Amino acid sequence: MLEAEGRALRHSALRLGLGLGLLILVVMLVTAALGLCLWAVYQYLAPAMEPASATLATAFIALLMAGIVGWVAQRLGR
């Protein structure tokens, strides 16, 4: 019986490790996608205004997104 429990534990540990690895991959891909979206916003705004203003506008958009994510995380953590 102890041997069966060991196999079940190993199987569960492997599934947990695989799930965590895939979750880390997803987080990295989402971070890259959001970075590319912000870069696209900057590229869109740069010809219409000075580069410093376009950078500032893009930074405000990033801060707004971070604030929304923080607010949602706080609401879910209650």
Side-chain angles (χ1 to χ4, degrees), residues 60-71:
F60 281 135
I61 291 170
L63 284 173
L64 178 67
M65 290 170 41
I68 291 170
V69 169
W71 180 77

Side-chain angles (χ1 to χ4, degrees), residues 6-19:
R7 276 184 291 204
L9 178 63
R10 184 174 52 219
H11 179 69
S12 296
L14 286 174
R15 286 185 49 144
L16 177 64
L18 181 62

Side-chain angles (χ1 to χ4, degrees), residues 4 25 36-37 71:
L25 178 64
L36 288 172
C37 287
W71 180 77

